[in-house]
Amino acid sequence: MTRDPAAQPERTRMAWRRTTLAFAAVAVLGVRSALHGRTSETAYAAGALVALSWVAFLVVAQLRIRALAPSRPREVAPAGMWGAAGCVVGAAACAVVVLR
């Protein structure tokens, strides 16, 4: 059985899209939770940071999806991976603030 070289980049593109969609759902729920029944500055800041974190992750994901488009995709830049990891950690930190 031979390996299809086009299948792996396609699966990776789909995985980035699924992760971005899941992150969007988490961001919406995080903003809703932060703002639901609260009017404090901390709640507004946490909601804004979750939304900003999702937008930053969306940018990183789109750059990676575009990099996977050619037949020979480029390797992931370390800065891109650190950016994605930072977005996830930032969203988690906001969740801790909201859930306290």
Side-chain angles (χ1 to χ4, degrees), residues 45-94:
L49 286 175
V50 168
L52 183 63
S53 180
W54 176 77
V55 170
F57 187 83
L58 180 64
V59 169
V60 170
Q62 282 302 114
L63 290 173
R64 186 60 192 147
I65 288 169
R66 286 188 185 152
L68 290 167
S71 60
R72 303 264 326 177
R74 297 185 312 264
E75 290 185 16
V76 179
M81 288 298 96
W82 280 109
C87 293
V88 172
V89 169
C94 291

Side-chain angles (χ1 to χ4, degrees), residues 38-49:
R38 299 183 191 159
T39 57
S40 70
E41 292 81 18
T42 305
Y44 289 128
L49 286 175

Side-chain angles (χ1 to χ4, degrees), residues 15-39:
W16 274 102
R17 287 186 179 124
R18 283 190 308 267
T19 304
T20 304
L21 181 62
F23 201 144
V26 168
V28 167
L29 292 174
V31 169
R32 181 179 177 263
S33 176
L35 300 179
H36 186 68
R38 299 183 191 159
T39 57

